[in-house]
Amino acid sequence: GFYRSFDHGRHWERRLFGSSAIYVAGVAVDPVDHSIYVSTFRSGDGIWKSVDFGETFTRVDRAPGSLPDDFLALSGRGITVDPEQHQTVFFAGNSGIWRSTDAGSSWINVDETPSLSITVDPVDSNIIYAGTFSGVLKSVDSGASFASQSAGLPAEFQTARTGSVQVDPRRHNVLYVAFEGAGVFKSWDGGDSWSAINTGLDDLGVFGI
């Protein structure tokens, strides 16, 4: 489920929305208006949004112009808010990468590659990275299109399930990505090339970074 705390994490309370069996897979908070976006793991449970600090939630995974109860049935782990354009939200899941430019009211598919995570560059939000089952995708046009940036990465392992592409906030061409079975890789050139940095890791099954 989904839990919230009002005392810096000392106590937690469960917030229910939709079915009580919903598997919450990803959470993102709007840095400006503090809206909460929640993605779910099971197909059909969709994406939910709260504008009252998690007191209530409304399901929002709809295509532009669709009927109120006509949902896209999106499911997956990755969801994030563009820190510069906070009306723009990205979702990465089993049916590819989706983008909303109206604070989650409607969504369009911008890439069909099944993805596990989505990361907006903290320095230049025109640049977005997605971790997939076979490598890394990169967009340089605010998510309108994506291309593979996987030179040097192992194709036989999937990227980590959480936080799989991390951007150095001071040197945004320096990236880190983890793999479930191949450890951690680093790029110095914005993903054009990657090399393993696994010295000292006894277990290369890395599930988050």
Side-chain angles (χ1 to χ4, degrees):
F2 178 80
Y3 290 76
R4 71 176 181 184
S5 172
F6 283 124
D7 58 6
H8 305 283
R10 288 191 292 270
H11 302 90
W12 294 86
E13 59 180 2
R14 188 178 185 187
R15 313 308 300 165
L16 294 177
F17 51 91
S19 165
S20 61
I22 280 181
Y23 182 158
V24 172
V27 178
V29 180
D30 187 313
V32 177
D33 68 13
H34 309 296
S35 294
I36 301 168
Y37 298 88
V38 174
S39 65
T40 64
F41 186 71
R42 187 176 59 190
S43 178
D45 286 341
I47 298 174
W48 298 73
K49 179 181 178 181
S50 174
V51 296
D52 55 11
F53 300 97
E55 188 66 32
T56 60
F57 282 84
T58 302
R59 187 169 175 179
V60 295
D61 56 313
R62 298 184 185 89
S66 63
L67 297 174
D69 293 327
D70 186 11
F71 298 107
L72 292 166
L74 298 180
S75 62
R77 300 179 185 275
I79 192 161
T80 192
V81 180
D82 185 325
E84 295 183 8
Q85 306 291 332
H86 78 110
Q87 298 290 307
T88 299
V89 187
F90 292 96
F91 167 75
N94 302 331
S95 57
I97 302 169
W98 296 72
R99 180 178 65 174
S100 171
T101 57
D102 52 14
S105 295
S106 63
W107 300 80
I108 60 170
N109 184 226
V110 292
D111 191 277
E112 295 182 352
T113 306
S115 300
L116 292 158
S117 71
I118 191 83
T119 305
V120 179
D121 188 311
V123 175
D124 181 357
S125 67
N126 292 311
I127 301 174
I128 298 105
Y129 299 94
T132 77
F133 291 89
S134 59
V136 173
L137 300 177
K138 180 179 181 179
S139 171
V140 295
D141 54 11
S142 302
S145 60
F146 285 81
S148 176
Q149 291 286 110
S150 299
L153 294 177
E156 65 270 27
F157 297 101
Q158 73 176 38
T159 59
R161 300 176 196 182
T162 59
S164 66
V165 179
Q166 294 292 319
V167 183
D168 187 319
R170 295 184 178 179
R171 299 170 297 172
H172 79 131
N173 282 325
V174 177
L175 313 174
Y176 301 88
V177 64
F179 280 81
E180 298 183 9
V184 181
F185 288 74
K186 182 176 183 178
S187 173
W188 293 91
D189 51 17
D192 288 341
S193 61
W194 298 86
S195 57
I197 52 168
N198 291 324
T199 301
L201 279 181
D202 294 327
D203 184 353
L204 299 185
V206 182
F207 291 85
I209 186 170

